[in-house]
Amino acid sequence: MYQIDFKHPVSVYFVGIGGISMSGLAEILHRAGFTVSGSDWKSSPITQSLEKKGIRVSYGEDAAHVTEDIDCAVLTSAVHEDNLEFMAIREKGIPYLSRAQLLGQIMKNYELPIAVSGTHGKTTTTSMLAEILLQADTDPTLSIGGILKSIGGNIRVGDSGYFLTEACEYTNSFLSFFPKIGLILNVEEDHLDFFKDLEDIRHSFRRFAQLLPPDGTLVISGDIERWRELTEGLSCRVVTFGHDSGCDYHARQIRHDEQGNASFLLYSPEKEPQRVTLQVPGDHNVHNALAALATSDLLGIDRGAALAALKEFCGTDRRFEYKGTVNGFAIIDDYAHHPTEITATLRAAKNYPHKKLWCMFQPHTYSRTKAFMNEFARALALADRVVLTDIYAAREKDTLGISSRDLQAAVRALGTECEYFPTFEEAEKFLAENCINGDLLITMGAGDVVKIGESLLGK
């Protein structure tokens, strides 16, 4: 495998440079003195930002983009064997790495790499930890899977030994990492276009835990079913967090204010119980905060600084993000695209001021929609009214014979009103005509459904 050497910067080409993680890695190398270029399907705010920083970006899929001066290529997981640029890279004999392999190699250059894994909550927990590290003046390098307002993006390059990143299980990407501290937030069925079943997923998280060195620490949720199977025989230290009072870090007396934001009493080893106040809603964010605080303590960060950071943290883009109010109804956007995430978001919304709760949902990938059809229906039925648009295909093609109409029927069968519109324009028109003063509309999904709310707001 090609090895990136920070002491000898070379020319690196990114295929799919506009992705949230790929762009961050490109920027890290660029700031380290590497000659960085890349390609993506079309211009976006991310690629435009890279170009302003001096990174050359080409658009479209074209073998001509792959020039002789490239020393190494980095490929996003969406690149397949028939990609013209990938074919050119192989024909020219240019060594290449996956995004995960590059990220793993970057981690080796830091004394204290921290990797946050889990089926849900990675971006929020990583962002919470990022705010704590910044509040404590640790000057960390950060790679986040979402836009964090306090750093004006998803990447920050620091000069200390701290490196914080998300660790995604899809295609076993996180098994290429080298963490000193690893977090496992939860383990559930997802990405069934890659994994066989839940046991296959658990096996991968077990292998992730085994990456930790003897002087490292695994921070794991005690709420995970049979979590001890994931930690049995590990040489590293294990710290638990969760709702169970038997966990090292657990919460009691959870409350929600008039905006749905959570607060709780924190119980942890060797410290008196302390009240933690969050500016983000939902019990799932209590869980995320427990993971962040457990990790913060491991790093020796002052508890007061950590609590202050969490009190100021207002979330990342597309995580229960308030977009605005139009015609008297509020619009919030959320990235939830798995039944568990949808359930957590809609339950959090119950504590947010509203008359009627609307969910404008865009299913994400055909395989996920088919695998969790009934679970999606039960989760969406927590809303008062549901509106669906077509499935966002992402990396897939429509070969499973599944559609949003099937999900509409499943939601209606549970007694919840559900409409389906094939175009954003039709959905937007329906919402504009039916959402009234005092209602709450959540645009939800991992695709581009955010555009509907922004269009309603005139953005």
Side-chain angles (χ1 to χ4, degrees):
M1 182 191 303
Y2 185 86
Q3 297 293 316
I4 291 289
D5 185 351
F6 272 58
K7 295 180 180 178
H8 300 92
V10 294
S11 175
V12 182
Y13 182 80
F14 286 75
V15 182
I17 199 169
I20 193 73
S21 179
M22 289 281 280
S23 62
L25 299 180
E27 190 170 337
I28 288 175
L29 293 187
H30 176 67
R31 294 193 184 188
F34 288 74
T35 300
V36 178
S37 60
S39 66
D40 213 282
W41 279 107
K42 59 183 178 180
S43 178
S44 69
I46 289 178
T47 61
Q48 292 163 18
S49 175
L50 292 174
E51 290 178 293
K52 289 178 182 177
K53 293 178 172 70
I55 295 174
R56 179 171 58 84
V57 180
S58 303
Y59 295 101
E61 182 183 321
D62 192 337
H65 295 159
V66 182
T67 54
E68 299 291 342
D69 59 340
I70 296 171
D71 297 303
C72 174
V74 182
L75 311 177
T76 179
S77 58
V79 172
H80 300 296
E81 295 284 327
D82 59 352
N83 180 280
L84 297 178
E85 295 186 15
F86 186 24
M87 293 169 63
I89 288 166
R90 287 182 296 180
E91 288 172 3
K92 295 178 185 294
I94 298 172
Y96 57 88
L97 299 169
S98 69
R99 178 200 62 83
Q101 289 170 334
L102 173 61
L103 180 51
Q105 291 192 21
I106 289 175
M107 294 175 81
K108 288 183 176 180
N109 290 274
Y110 294 85
E111 295 177 9
L112 197 56
I114 306 163
V116 181
S117 77
T119 312
H120 322 292
K122 291 185 292 293
T123 297
T124 297
T125 304
T126 304
S127 298
M128 286 178 169
L129 259 175
E131 295 290 10
I132 291 172
L133 292 171
L134 293 170
Q135 181 82 21
D137 294 323
T138 61
D139 195 19
T141 295
L142 309 171
S143 178
I144 304 171
I147 303 301
L148 187 62
K149 292 180 175 63
S150 61
I151 63 173
N154 68 308
I155 194 74
R156 180 189 190 273
V157 179
D159 291 321
S160 74
Y162 289 93
F163 180 86
L164 173 64
T165 184
E166 295 182 31
C168 181
E169 74 276 14
Y170 183 58
T171 68
N172 282 329
S173 292
F174 61 0
L175 299 185
S176 296
F177 293 0
F178 298 90
K180 185 72 171 290
I181 296 177
L183 284 72
I184 300 180
L185 304 175
N186 35 60
V187 179
E188 294 188 26
E189 282 186 307
D190 198 10
H191 302 302
L192 295 179
D193 57 327
F194 176 77
F195 294 108
K196 296 177 184 177
D197 51 29
L198 180 57
E199 289 307 308
D200 190 23
I201 296 170
R202 287 176 60 86
H203 177 66
S204 286
F205 277 97
R206 164 68 177 175
R207 291 172 64 192
F208 172 75
Q210 290 173 322
L211 295 175
L212 292 158
D215 61 344
T217 304
L218 175 67
V219 180
I220 186 170
S221 171
D223 297 336
I224 297 172
E225 186 176 356
R226 303 178 358 247
W227 65 268
R228 287 182 175 82
E229 293 180 3
L230 305 179
T231 63
E232 184 180 3
L234 294 181
S235 60
C236 67
R237 179 183 177 188
V238 176
V239 174
T240 60
F241 68 95
H243 292 94
D244 192 305
S245 60
C247 293
D248 298 318
Y249 289 75
H250 61 274
R252 296 181 186 173
Q253 299 180 25
I254 300 173
R255 302 168 183 163
H256 301 91
D257 65 17
E258 64 277 2
Q259 295 298 312
N261 298 327
S263 67
F264 61 93
L265 200 60
L266 169 66
Y267 285 78
S268 61
E270 301 176 3
K271 285 186 171 68
E272 291 297 317
Q274 290 175 283
R275 174 62 58 177
V276 180
T277 302
L278 305 178
Q279 296 301 314
V280 286
D283 289 351
H284 62 294
N285 277 318
V286 172
H287 186 262
N288 295 335
L290 287 171
L293 287 166
T295 307
S296 174
D297 281 357
L298 284 172
L299 299 174
I301 291 174
D302 176 73
R303 177 65 68 80
L307 296 182
L310 289 179
K311 189 172 183 178
E312 295 173 7
F313 174 67
C314 295
T316 57
D317 282 8
R318 303 222 58 213
R319 271 71 178 180
F320 212 86
E321 180 188 6
Y322 174 74
K323 304 293 289 187
T325 298
V326 61
N327 298 332
F329 66 90
I331 299 177
I332 285 174
D333 183 62
D334 197 272
Y335 191 70
H337 55 284
H338 182 281
T340 299
E341 297 165 351
I342 294 169
T343 299
T345 298
L346 293 180
R347 283 180 175 166
K350 297 288 187 181
N351 294 304
Y352 193 93
H354 68 277
K355 290 181 179 177
K356 182 176 289 186
L357 175 58
W358 292 77
C359 181
M360 172 69 245
F361 182 59
Q362 180 186 41
H364 190 262
T365 73
Y366 299 99
S367 60
R368 182 182 284 117
T369 305
K370 183 173 183 177
F372 300 115
M373 177 66 68
N374 294 331
E375 292 85 351
F376 273 123
R378 286 194 293 270
L380 290 168
L382 291 172
D384 296 314
R385 294 195 67 174
V386 178
V387 180
L388 302 173
T389 190
D390 279 336
I391 296 171
Y392 188 85
R395 57 188 175 267
E396 297 181 345
K397 294 182 179 179
D398 183 5
T399 60
L400 299 176
I402 201 78
S403 77
S404 291
R405 288 193 182 279
D406 299 305
L407 182 54
Q408 178 191 25
V411 174
R412 284 181 169 177
L414 296 175
T416 299
E417 292 185 66
C418 183
E419 309 298 330
Y420 159 71
F421 299 100
T423 69
F424 279 12
E425 290 76 16
E426 292 171 283
E428 181 186 334
K429 183 175 184 293
F430 176 82
L431 292 167
E433 293 174 351
N434 289 275
C435 290
I436 61 174
N437 186 40
D439 284 355
L440 172 61
L441 168 64
I442 300 181
T443 56
M444 184 182 291
D448 55 356
V449 68
V450 61
K451 294 178 180 178
I452 292 178
E454 291 178 343
S455 180
L456 285 166
L457 292 165
K459 294 183 178 181

